[in-house]
Amino acid sequence: MGAYASAPERCSSNGLPSSSGGMSRRSELVSSAERDVGISKKKKSKSSKFAMLKRKLLRSKGHGPGHDYSKALRELISTWTVREIHSLIDEYEAASALKELTTLADATRPHATSIVEDLLALYQLKYCTDVDLLYQGATFPAHRAILCIRCAFFRELLARYPEYGAQVPIVVRTPGVDVQLFSALLRYLYTGHFGLEDTQLHGLKKLLAQLASEFGAPNSLEDDLRTLMDTGAYYDAVLVFSNESEAVQASSAMSLGACSHVDEGVGVIHGDVCGAVAARHDGTLGVVRRCRNEIRCHKAILAARSTFFRNLVLRKARSGEELTVRALHSPSHIILDESIIPRRYAQVLIGAIYLDTVDLSCILRSSVSLGTLSEVQAMVSGRGHLTATDEAMELYHIAKFLEFNLLAQGCEDIVVDSLTVDSLISILQWSAEAYGSSWVHRQALHFLKEEFIHFGQSQALYDLSKEYLLETVGSDFVQAAELDILSAVVKWGEFQLVKRIEEREPNLLSHTAHSISRKGVRKRDMNDGELREILADVLPHVRCAHVIPTHSDVFMSAVKRGLVCVPAPFVAYDASPSHSMASAWVRTRNMALYVKPRLFLPYYREAKAVLKERVSKGFDNSVVPLRLVQTCAKPDALYMLSDQMYSADLIGRPLSFAPSGVDIIAATMPVIDRDLVIKMKVQELDAIGSSLAQKAFSLPLCDRRTIMHLIRLRVVREFGLPNEAVKALEDAVDISVQRQDVRLPFGACHALPQRGRRSQMCRHRSTHLCQFQQQLELGPMLGSALPGRNNLVFEQNLSRGSESCRSPLLRSAVPDVAMATATLNHLSVQDSDLAHSDLELDLGDGANH
């Protein structure tokens, strides 16, 4: 399939042929000298390899780049207590759990169906069928090409019914094959699976062996599909790549039936551009005329893999054009504009359709095609040819046009695999465009955060936009020390300052590099005030309190230039050396000095190693973390509660899924169907029950709102919706109360965090009232005070209204007093007799008031 790149031949070490007997003495001396040079080169290469191996071994012992980071942290925490070190590890563990959830959410994308799944949908939905199988009074619409290539029985049978839409009676000699089993056999031919339970297959083992002898044992599905693709056997469609002028000629030739006129039952075995050798079912060979730039294929498989091809084939079937094609016994011609889909990508496209593989080696490098977007961009940027990354980007555009998700995701994987420090900027720019890939954009940003140390030392740093620098420096998961981040930020700002100076001053020599760039600008000649203006948005994200060692030249230079200030922990430590620097890293009573540490893995590993050493040596065995001081995200005031959110008038209203804050009119997010929201909520509960989410919920320093947001973001991306659709999941808190027919999976309530089980138990109407009273604090107290039939009213109101204020997200954000007040607001008694009865006040003095 296609033209694969051939591997270059290997040469000998010296590149010279062996000397012959008739060679002169001079040539022998020259050859021997060259051999000595080659031997010396081999020795040098061996010594260099040994030196490289030695450096790797030394690095593994702690002398690599990470050794300085570990040494700096060890010096910092050498005066800390064990409890303070343990608290720092708790900070890192919480950040590590959130990083895993973030990485999982960023790596999530919609599921791309495979060839097996698409063929199963093709068999079940019955579109693009060309033959009807009649068996025991039941009709099975099917596809001739798939049946013939998969089964010798159907190959011989359908050869006697060559017309389109033929009704073929099926006679099975093996007894015991009913309609259901025959349908399972057809499903096996399409997918390679019967779709039956293991117990059923075990009971049918003897019967299936008899059917295998009658029908013939098929090859694997992949081998048969490869045969269909390579040979074009039983093809009924032709892909024609042409430009605008060729499209008119192809259309006229197609209407006259002069191009690729073949009889039914003819399959192409092999061929070239000008002609093809065809084999008839009777064993004779015939030459089939074919046009240039054609690819034989099958309408059923095209329609199964691509929504674009499916709509095109169905539209042609409903038109009179398809009737003409059937009358002439010629295949359908699908003309593709080469300016949109170049012919050089034809084999890659066909390989992805038939085999689920994206092989860029199948691109026809020597084909002359029209200029596409990537080719024009390569010419403008000065590149002579397209790289593999550019070709994958171009194929991604084609896949999105054809609505072929598997090809699109295969191209995304190729682009992400090609991420390097040098290619990062171009991939970020492409993925940020409207026609780019948001999944690739997230992976590129993840790569930037993981490789920021190397990226900050390269020239690519100067091409990074301020937006990406802000997002990277503001992240908690950048794999770089604060000193490296500060150094990279200052270098980036100085480069931007030089560019600003170049824009202000004219160039001395036109059509040359700017004189300032050639001469350079000294740091003492730079205006530090202007540099502070450039970095005003970036420097606040640098956590200067965590810069270690504090006496580094980069940090002291930034302080002298007025770019950063001396952090408060440094000032306190200088005033009182007995003061610990732990207040800037962990949560203590002095929260004014606390700054959340980034998850830098060398620091994390070194902190665990130091803690292990301290405990093993017996120093300060009270390994108890400090008392956690968790500040509330909202002020402790009752007026912060929204009246609309907790009003009892809104309890009986139907749930609205229109996400607030999202402009639906501007098409920012499509309106989400109610059934889709229900599926997303069930998927959300499954994600909450995962071990990764449960680990995050169990850590006391993990923000529960952040965990739930990441889980919902993962669910939204899995369904192919924009990030704004998270608001729909947040608003759908009462989804299980409104729909009784949707039952959550077993164990879903227990999968929730401990604080959220009460609210989740309240969502099920089928749960008895006693379970509600056991889970809710006010249940036993108020449930006994209500009459019998009012218990259900209390249950519904409490499950609808109080559940929103008892959710784990709100419990961590709203004070307990406010929650208790909001809970009492939802208590309503609807018994008319009790409502109109006289209420008496008992003050405990024996009198009624």
Side-chain angles (χ1 to χ4, degrees):
M1 177 188 67
Y4 290 89
S6 59
E9 297 181 359
R10 297 185 179 271
C11 301
S12 60
S13 60
N14 52 15
L16 296 174
S18 58
S19 59
S20 60
M23 184 179 294
S24 62
R25 182 66 178 171
R26 180 180 177 86
S27 61
E28 291 178 357
L29 292 175
V30 171
S31 61
S32 62
E34 290 177 347
R35 282 196 297 270
D36 293 338
V37 171
I39 293 173
S40 62
K41 289 183 178 179
K42 287 183 178 180
K43 289 182 179 179
K44 289 182 179 179
S45 63
K46 289 182 179 180
S47 61
S48 62
K49 292 180 180 179
F50 178 77
M52 185 180 300
L53 178 61
K54 185 178 180 180
R55 286 196 297 270
K56 289 183 178 180
L57 292 175
L58 291 176
R59 184 176 302 174
S60 64
K61 291 182 179 181
H63 297 279
H67 174 66
D68 296 333
Y69 302 125
S70 303
K71 181 181 178 181
L73 185 73
R74 182 177 286 268
E75 292 178 356
L76 174 69
I77 63 179
S78 59
T79 59
W80 291 15
T81 63
V82 174
R83 292 196 295 176
E84 291 173 340
I85 298 175
H86 193 278
S87 299
L88 179 61
I89 294 176
D90 288 342
E91 296 278 354
Y92 285 141
E93 287 180 350
S96 177
L98 292 179
K99 181 184 178 182
E100 291 179 355
L101 289 175
T102 303
T103 304
L104 188 59
D106 290 340
T108 302
R109 54 184 173 181
H111 172 67
T113 56
S114 63
I115 180 65
V116 175
E117 295 172 326
D118 289 336
L119 288 181
L120 176 60
L122 179 69
Y123 171 70
Q124 292 176 344
L125 299 179
K126 311 295 184 185
Y127 49 79
C128 301
T129 58
D130 52 6
V131 65
D132 293 336
L133 304 180
L134 306 179
Y135 184 74
Q136 295 184 0
T139 302
F140 295 90
H143 305 84
R144 181 184 300 270
I146 297 177
L147 295 180
C148 292
I149 200 65
R150 293 282 289 153
C151 181
F153 173 83
F154 286 108
R155 187 181 308 124
E156 298 175 358
L157 178 62
L158 296 180
R160 301 194 295 266
Y161 299 89
E163 63 273 6
Y164 176 86
Q167 294 186 349
V168 181
I170 304 298
V171 178
V172 179
R173 297 191 303 269
T174 303
V177 180
D178 55 1
V179 175
Q180 182 180 2
L181 182 57
F182 184 77
S183 177
L185 290 175
L186 293 180
R187 174 172 175 158
Y188 177 81
L189 295 180
Y190 276 79
T191 64
H193 304 283
F194 288 99
L196 302 176
E197 299 292 338
D198 294 338
T199 56
Q200 293 177 309
L201 288 177
H202 183 74
L204 298 174
K205 184 179 297 185
K206 184 176 181 181
L207 181 60
L208 292 178
Q210 298 177 0
L211 288 174
S213 60
E214 180 179 357
F215 283 80
N219 301 321
S220 65
L221 181 62
E222 182 181 357
D223 293 340
D224 288 336
L225 290 176
R226 185 182 297 275
T227 302
L228 276 182
M229 181 190 68
D230 292 340
T231 64
Y234 314 104
Y235 74 100
D236 55 358
V238 175
L239 295 180
V240 181
F241 295 85
S242 62
N243 52 31
E244 187 174 351
S245 60
E246 292 176 350
V248 177
Q249 299 176 2
S251 299
S252 60
M254 181 188 62
S255 61
L256 295 176
C259 180
S260 294
H261 178 73
V262 295
D263 296 332
E264 285 289 339
V266 177
V268 176
I269 295 181
H270 62 305
D272 52 14
V273 178
C274 299
V277 179
R280 303 180 186 275
H281 293 302
D282 56 2
T284 61
L285 295 178
V287 178
V288 179
R289 182 180 179 83
R290 58 183 297 189
C291 297
R292 302 178 64 87
N293 305 325
E294 288 185 0
I295 292 183
R296 288 174 164 82
C297 53
H298 307 83
K299 290 187 291 185
I301 298 180
L302 291 180
R305 303 311 310 274
S306 168
T307 307
F308 172 83
F309 284 126
R310 183 187 313 159
N311 296 333
L312 181 62
V313 170
L314 294 178
R315 185 169 62 251
K316 290 171 68 69
R318 291 191 296 264
S319 64
E321 177 184 346
E322 188 69 18
L323 298 177
T324 305
V325 170
R326 296 171 187 172
L328 295 175
H329 299 284
S330 62
S332 299
H333 283 66
I334 301 176
I335 302 175
L336 302 178
D337 190 355
E338 195 175 356
S339 62
I340 300 176
I341 306 177
R343 72 188 72 175
R344 61 198 301 264
Y345 299 121
Q347 293 298 330
V348 183
L349 177 61
I350 294 299
I353 289 176
Y354 281 82
L355 302 177
D356 281 350
T357 58
V358 182
D359 189 1
L360 296 186
S361 63
C362 298
I363 298 177
L364 302 179
R365 312 287 179 182
S366 60
S367 65
V368 180
S369 59
L370 298 178
T372 58
L373 177 61
S374 297
E375 293 172 349
V376 173
Q377 291 177 349
M379 294 173 60
V380 171
S381 61
R383 301 194 304 267
H385 63 279
L386 294 177
T387 62
T389 306
D390 297 329
E391 291 171 341
M393 293 176 181
E394 184 69 23
L395 269 172
Y396 174 82
H397 300 154
I398 296 173
K400 299 301 288 185
F401 176 79
L402 298 177
E403 301 180 63
F404 187 13
N405 293 331
L406 186 133
L407 177 58
Q409 293 188 4
C411 296
E412 288 176 340
D413 294 335
I414 294 175
V415 174
V416 170
D417 291 340
S418 65
L419 274 173
T420 59
V421 173
D422 298 329
S423 65
L424 176 62
I425 299 298
S426 60
I427 293 177
L428 273 175
Q429 293 174 352
W430 171 81
S431 59
E433 298 292 339
Y435 51 80
S437 169
S438 59
W439 184 82
V440 173
H441 190 71
R442 296 195 298 267
Q443 303 310 307
L445 288 176
H446 176 76
F447 179 85
L448 175 60
K449 297 171 186 176
E450 292 291 325
E451 302 293 334
F452 191 76
I453 293 180
H454 304 289
F455 187 82
Q457 299 172 356
S458 65
Q459 296 295 323
L461 172 67
Y462 305 130
D463 297 329
L464 188 67
S465 65
K466 188 176 183 179
E467 175 188 359
Y468 298 137
L469 183 62
L470 275 172
E471 185 172 354
T472 304
V473 175
S475 174
D476 295 334
F477 314 125
V478 183
Q479 292 306 300
E482 293 299 327
L483 190 61
D484 299 327
I485 296 175
L486 178 61
S487 176
V489 168
V490 172
K491 287 196 301 181
W492 181 87
E494 291 174 349
F495 180 79
Q496 301 300 321
L497 180 58
V498 172
K499 288 178 59 178
R500 182 179 293 187
I501 296 175
E502 291 178 356
E503 294 174 357
R504 287 199 302 258
E505 299 182 7
N507 191 12
L508 298 179
L509 298 176
S510 59
H511 304 291
T512 59
H514 203 281
S515 57
I516 296 179
S517 300
R518 294 196 306 268
K519 296 179 181 179
V521 180
R522 298 179 181 179
K523 288 187 177 181
R524 63 185 181 185
D525 297 335
M526 292 184 179
N527 189 351
D528 293 336
E530 196 171 358
L531 182 59
R532 284 195 300 269
E533 179 186 352
I534 294 174
L535 299 176
D537 299 334
V538 184
L539 286 175
H541 295 281
V542 180
R543 305 172 190 184
C544 298
H546 298 164
V547 172
I548 50 175
T550 58
H551 55 273
S552 62
D553 296 337
V554 175
F555 179 67
M556 298 306 297
S557 175
V559 172
K560 290 179 181 179
R561 299 172 69 179
L563 300 179
V564 295
C565 300
V566 179
F570 294 174
V571 177
Y573 182 78
D574 294 338
S576 176
S578 60
H579 177 77
S580 177
M581 292 287 292
S583 300
W585 292 75
V586 298
R587 311 181 192 209
T588 60
R589 296 182 182 274
N590 192 2
M591 289 295 295
L593 302 179
Y594 171 74
V595 179
K596 185 178 181 180
R598 302 182 196 269
L599 178 63
F600 188 37
L601 294 181
Y603 288 174
Y604 183 24
R605 290 192 290 263
E606 189 65 22
K608 291 194 296 185
V610 171
L611 179 63
K612 185 177 180 181
E613 293 175 4
R614 292 278 193 92
V615 174
S616 61
K617 293 179 180 179
F619 295 114
D620 195 1
N621 291 328
S622 58
V623 188
V624 181
L626 296 176
R627 181 181 180 272
L628 300 178
V629 181
Q630 299 187 10
T631 59
C632 183
K634 293 185 178 181
D636 189 3
L638 298 181
Y639 65 85
M640 295 298 295
L641 295 176
S642 175
D643 294 335
Q644 294 181 356
M645 181 181 297
Y646 302 107
S647 175
D649 298 333
L650 298 178
I651 297 176
R653 297 183 184 179
L655 180 64
S656 175
F657 294 101
S660 59
V662 180
D663 188 6
I664 299 179
I665 300 178
T668 304
M669 187 192 73
V671 179
I672 303 178
D673 183 69
R674 185 185 184 85
D675 294 334
L676 181 60
V677 176
I678 294 174
K679 295 179 181 178
M680 293 168 63
K681 291 296 292 184
V682 175
Q683 190 71 17
E684 176 189 341
L685 289 176
D686 292 340
I688 290 175
S690 62
S691 58
L692 186 59
Q694 288 294 298
K695 175 185 175 182
F697 279 120
S698 64
L699 298 176
L701 295 182
C702 281
D703 187 11
R704 295 175 179 272
R705 291 162 297 175
T706 305
I707 298 173
M708 291 301 300
H709 176 75
L710 292 174
I711 290 175
R712 288 166 177 165
L713 191 62
R714 173 188 171 189
V715 172
V716 163
R717 289 172 177 172
E718 188 174 351
F719 280 84
L721 297 174
N723 296 342
E724 293 79 7
V726 173
K727 187 63 178 176
L729 282 178
E730 294 176 355
D731 293 342
V733 292
D734 291 339
I735 186 65
S736 58
V737 175
Q738 298 294 330
R739 289 289 299 269
Q740 301 184 25
D741 55 332
V742 177
R743 300 301 301 273
L744 299 178
F746 178 75
C749 295
H750 301 282
L752 288 173
Q754 196 70 26
R755 297 181 183 178
R757 291 185 184 177
R758 302 186 186 96
S759 59
Q760 182 61 31
M761 291 295 293
C762 295
R763 294 191 180 106
H764 296 280
R765 283 186 174 180
S766 59
T767 311
H768 298 290
L769 180 59
C770 59
Q771 294 178 345
F772 283 99
Q773 294 176 346
Q774 292 174 1
Q775 296 294 329
L776 299 173
E777 292 86 356
L778 298 178
M781 179 178 64
L782 299 177
S784 58
L786 297 178
R789 70 184 186 91
N790 290 326
N791 287 338
L792 181 59
V793 177
F794 168 74
E795 173 194 344
Q796 295 177 355
N797 290 340
L798 193 58
S799 63
R800 291 181 181 179
S802 175
E803 171 257 335
S804 61
C805 67
R806 289 186 174 274
S807 63
L809 304 183
L810 198 58
R811 286 180 68 96
S812 60
V814 182
D816 294 337
V817 177
M819 291 180 59
T821 308
T823 304
L824 292 175
N825 286 337
H826 293 294
L827 180 61
S828 61
V829 180
Q830 299 182 5
D831 194 317
S832 58
D833 299 333
L834 183 62
H836 296 286
S837 61
D838 296 333
L839 299 179
E840 296 179 353
L841 180 61
D842 186 7
L843 298 180
D845 54 358
N848 295 330
H849 301 278

